[in-house]
Amino acid sequence: MSMLTPPGLGGKYRIKGDRYPRMRRPRRWGRIVAASLASVLAAAVLGWGTLQVIGIFSGSGPAKAADRSVKRAKCASAAPAAEARTGGRKAAEGKAGSKAEGKKAAGGGDDLPEPGDITVNVLNATSRSGLAKDTADELKKRGFKIGKIGNAPAEFDEKIKKAAFLVGAPGASTSDRMHVLGTQLAHTETRYDERDGKDVDLILGNGFAHLAKKKAATAALAELAGPAAGPGEPGKPGASPSAC
């Protein structure tokens, strides 16, 4: 045995000449596999995190997708209610159309006369002097034609408890004139007499104080002419665009 051979080693570990044993630890494949898996997992986590950051700044990440899903769900749940409202509006429009056709058939609706086409005889059935003159002046400012101004016939004198009495000849055209004139007053009654002419008698009663406010009278006249467009209808004032 050579003097270079370590104590206790012999046989195949015996050093002969210039050769010596190469001693190293055996490879542990379990650790290598675990390290490789850990590297792959770390790379996957890093890539997923990078995608999340990119999605946040670009607006296309999972959070945005979740928001879109929530909005779609809300729109889907709101669709039946919107359809119900649309159906209700269509039904209301159908009823309004039927009423308008009925008015038109009776000489009303779009054929309502303008205030300038109505001649009003203002008659005072109260004991207050000058009431008919003052009322006639105000009606004239609002565009009505004024006929006679004076005291009411004896059959009405001090016998009208309400604000006014409207009297005219029978017929659809007179009815339309009474409706238009009625927008300027409150608490009126109407009566038709067998007579000729298109004039309407406005007989002021004990309950009369003054004409309706001009703004309220204008609104009442517009409502009488036809229904206004409701809010939320597409293409009309008050309509709001769909959020879905």
Side-chain angles (χ1 to χ4, degrees):
M1 182 170 59
S2 172
M3 294 182 65
L4 297 175
T5 302
L9 296 178
K12 63 180 179 178
Y13 296 105
R14 186 175 55 197
I15 299 174
K16 297 179 181 180
D18 59 349
R19 301 183 62 184
Y20 58 91
R22 297 181 179 274
M23 300 178 65
R24 61 181 179 183
R25 296 180 181 179
R27 294 181 179 179
R28 298 183 180 182
W29 294 104
R31 290 186 179 182
I32 295 174
V33 172
S36 300
L37 292 176
S39 300
V40 172
L41 181 60
V45 171
L46 181 61
W48 183 81
T50 303
L51 290 177
Q52 290 294 311
V53 173
I54 294 174
I56 290 174
F57 287 99
S58 63
S60 60
K64 295 292 183 181
D67 290 342
R68 288 193 293 270
S69 299
V70 172
K71 288 182 180 179
R72 283 196 295 268
K74 288 182 179 179
C75 290
S77 62
E83 291 178 359
R85 288 194 297 270
T86 303
R89 283 200 301 270
K90 288 182 178 178
E93 288 173 359
K95 291 181 180 179
S98 299
K99 290 182 179 179
E101 289 176 1
K103 283 185 178 180
K104 193 169 184 180
D110 294 336
D111 297 330
L112 285 174
E114 296 293 331
D117 298 329
I118 304 173
T119 300
V120 184
N121 301 319
V122 185
L123 306 175
N124 185 6
T126 73
S127 58
R128 290 175 283 173
S129 61
L131 185 62
K133 178 66 168 58
D134 294 341
T135 304
D137 290 343
E138 182 61 29
L139 286 174
K140 187 175 182 180
K141 291 179 182 178
R142 299 186 183 188
F144 290 88
K145 287 184 179 180
I146 304 301
K148 299 177 183 178
I149 301 175
N151 295 324
E155 61 178 312
F156 296 108
D157 191 27
E158 295 290 341
K159 295 178 182 178
I160 300 178
K161 295 181 179 180
K162 291 194 174 182
F165 219 81
L166 302 179
V167 183
S173 60
T174 302
S175 177
D176 289 342
R177 286 172 169 77
M178 287 183 176
H179 285 146
V180 174
L181 180 57
T183 60
Q184 311 299 310
L185 303 120
H187 308 296
T188 61
E189 292 184 358
T190 58
R191 194 178 87 174
Y192 297 95
D193 283 349
E194 291 297 333
R195 63 179 184 179
D196 296 328
K198 298 180 179 180
D199 295 2
V200 176
D201 293 346
L202 170 58
I203 304 175
L204 305 177
N206 293 325
F208 180 82
H210 51 73
L211 295 175
K213 297 290 185 182
K214 189 172 182 179
K215 185 176 181 180
T218 302
L221 186 58
E223 183 177 357
L224 180 66
E233 295 184 22
K236 295 182 180 179
S240 57
S242 174
C244 298

